[in-house]
Every structure is written in structure tokens, then in C-alpha cells.
Amino acid sequence: MLHSHLTKTLSLAVLACLTVASDTTFAQGFPPYIQPDQAAPPSKVFEAAETVARVGNQHIFQGDLEGDAYIVLIPTLERIPPEEREAAEPQVKAQLANLSQQVLRETVQRKLMYEMFLRTIPPDKLAEAKASIKERVGEQFTEALEEMVEKVKKADKTEYKDLTRQSSQLFRLAYVMKEMELSTFRELDLLLRRYGTSLERQQTAYAEDQLGRQEMYKEARSVAEVTYDDMVEYYQDNLDDFRVATRARWEQITIAFSEFPTKFAAGEAIAKVGNELFYGAPFKQVAKRHSHGDKASEGGYHDWTDWGDFKISREINEAVFSIKPGELSYIIEDAEGLHIIRVIERQDAHVIPFADAQLTIKERIQGDRRSEAINKYLAQLQDRIPVWTADDGPESQEQIAKPPSMNRVR
């Protein structure tokens, strides 16, 4: 089960095309809770502050990378029982190392673009410009994140890929809020700080990314027009992207065995719930009053879920994909407790028709072409702005003697 948790999380990591964030304090593996009067071990502090890359005048620290890598793993790590965490530690560290390498590549690209943006500002105006940018982009970040949170709430898994194309950073943050059922940015910030980053640092990363892209998009504006034949060819070559698995969404009321002294008492409680529903009480209100399930506060609503999803029990899975939509189920028993469900909607596996997919296809082709132009632009930047990473070995005395600010844009 642990392996399936982490494997699913890694697929999201690839999907999200990780962008940048930063922090300077974190712990290897699972971040422990640190009491306010406890100090982090010196070795960890120094390790987090270790420079692993430099782009122009900007340093990238080890803590920057692991803080962002953890964001991808948070939904999985938070669900692993405490007694299983020690056994999971080696696997978590391996996943974290892989994700950190991906974060490093994305961070270097972002820093390159941001460095190029900074070089368009006269040196005597730089401090004033940075202060103005921080205030302006802070408001934009909050608005953009709020918008993404609403999109992710309403989206199903098939739409995640397109949301990451809009902003992989915002998608990851919104996805954490959805999966962990967080309702405020304050809650999100507290969770991020446990894993070595913060909402403020995410805002800084967002600002650098947006400002760097201003210069980049100037280079990527003139992309070829997408023709009808282009879209047909893309659809045929990527048909698997448009397949939708058998899926359903439903409402559920759970009476947990752990809340009652005997199974018989739990049975009496679910019977009372069933009577309320039978005599016309709104399902959502009954769920909010009586359910012990993790979706009780949402009226027991479960969004689109694929057949065989590991998050629900076999017994509930079979019921969701067998009873008629709109009808109340029989009482379902599994290891957790007793349940009553009502299926809202169910869809059989199918392929989205080309006519319905055209807008998505056009946007993807345009995005791919912009990405190609952007990659060429980034390659040119690396000729203009020096980049060093720890994999290149120690920085030479020549590099130190000739700081990046001396490297003029050609």
C-alpha cells in the first residue's frame, strides 16, 4: 500500500512539472514537529544552507530544493500512519532525492529568466523596482492562487494536466489544499512550514517566475498558427490522453465502529440514519449531522473517482459501481464501519470525441510550440549568464574573481 501511495504521488510530480520555491530549514525524510524552544541540529542548518547552484548573482540552496520537493509528497506523507513512517523513511528519501533533482532543473531555468529580467532595469533603479514588484505581485499571487483553488476543487483527474500547464506551482499548492481539506491560506502556510517552505517563499518564487516570463514571452510570441490538420494529427498521436476511465461521484454517510461500544450499537445508528433518508430528509444535511466520514463537512460528497481507486474500500467500490444513480444503497459494511451511499452520476469508460477536444488540443499544441521557443531562449541565456551547479565540481577561482555581473548581455 505504501508503495502505491508513493508511486501515485510521483506520477503527480511528473505531471506538475515542478517549479520553484525556497526555504532554509528542513529535515531529511519526514519533517518532525519541533518545539519552539528546540533548535535544529547544526548539521541540518548547514546542510540546508549549502549552495548547490548559482545563476548569475543568485544562489540556490539545498533547502530551496527539498522544500519544494516535499510539496509534491505532502498528501501522501500526511496519510501514512505514524507507526509506519520509520519503515517508509528510505523510500521517502529516495523519492525526495529524485524530486529535488527535478526541482533543481526548474529552479535554474527560473533564475535564468529572472536574472535576464533584472538586467533590463538600470542598476540605480533596481532596489526601488524590487520593492514595487513585491507589493504588486503579492496581490496577484493571492488572486491567482484563489482562482486555482476553485478550479482544482471542481476538476477531476483528467483535467489536472491542463491545470498544470497554466501554472504547475499554483496547481501543486491548490492540490495540497484540496487533498488535505484546508480552507484558509493560513492553514496552508502552517503546513508548508512543517515541510521546509512557506507561502511567503512560494510568493517570491511566483514573482520571479512571472517577471522572468515577461522577457521570455517576447521571444515566444511568434509561434506558427495551429491548423485543423495539426489538431487531427495530435489527437490521433495522443489518443490515450483523451480516454476517460469508468468513474462515478456519490454521497456517503459513514457510521464508524470506533465511535460505538458495540457493532450492534453502530447498527442501530445507521438504521436511524436510513429512516431519516427514507422519509425525505436531505442527504447532505443528514451526512453533516451524523456521518463520521472524512467528507462529512461537505455533506458526504465524493468527487469523480475511478473504478478500483485505492482510497475507498472494496465493498464501497462495488456498491458505487453497481447501484442505479439516484437510488439509496443498502447498508454496506466494511472494516471501518457501516455506510449508506447514493450515486449522483456514473460514466462508463470512453474516449472524448475529437469535436469536444479541439479547444484543448489547440491550446496544447500552442503550449508545446511556445515551450520549444522558450527552450531555445533559455539555451541562449546560458551563453549570456554563467550557471554553476554542484555537479560541475567546485567553483573555480576564475569564476569567483570574475563575478557574473561582469558578464554583459550580448
Side-chain angles (χ1 to χ4, degrees), residues 313-330:
S313 68
R314 177 179 56 81
E315 293 83 0
I316 293 177
N317 187 82
E318 289 177 354
V320 167
F321 290 95
S322 61
I323 67 173
K324 289 183 179 179
E327 294 184 358
L328 289 175
S329 73
Y330 47 88

Side-chain angles (χ1 to χ4, degrees), residues 160-178:
Y160 285 173
K161 186 173 183 179
D162 290 318
L163 289 177
T164 61
R165 289 172 182 267
Q166 296 177 27
S167 172
S168 57
Q169 181 200 21
L170 295 179
F171 169 80
R172 291 197 320 277
L173 295 171
Y175 181 78
V176 168
M177 291 193 71
K178 178 180 180 178

Side-chain angles (χ1 to χ4, degrees), residues 366-384:
Q366 289 174 333
D368 290 343
R369 291 178 178 175
R370 279 195 298 268
S371 294
E372 185 178 351
I374 287 167
N375 287 336
K376 290 181 180 178
Y377 172 71
L378 291 173
Q380 293 171 356
L381 286 189
Q382 292 189 49
D383 290 335
R384 303 175 180 183

Side-chain angles (χ1 to χ4, degrees), residues 263-327:
K263 185 178 287 190
F264 181 80
E268 288 185 323
I270 197 72
K272 290 179 181 178
V273 167
N275 287 334
E276 286 191 47
L277 295 173
F278 180 78
Y279 287 108
F283 198 105
K284 180 181 291 186
Q285 298 305 318
V286 176
K288 287 183 176 180
R289 285 198 303 269
H290 301 296
S291 181
H292 304 129
D294 59 358
K295 303 289 186 180
S297 62
E298 301 172 34
Y301 176 73
H302 288 251
D303 207 351
W304 288 112
T305 303
D306 294 347
W307 161 264
D309 193 299
F310 72 92
K311 292 181 181 178
I312 60 176
S313 68
R314 177 179 56 81
E315 293 83 0
I316 293 177
N317 187 82
E318 289 177 354
V320 167
F321 290 95
S322 61
I323 67 173
K324 289 183 179 179
E327 294 184 358

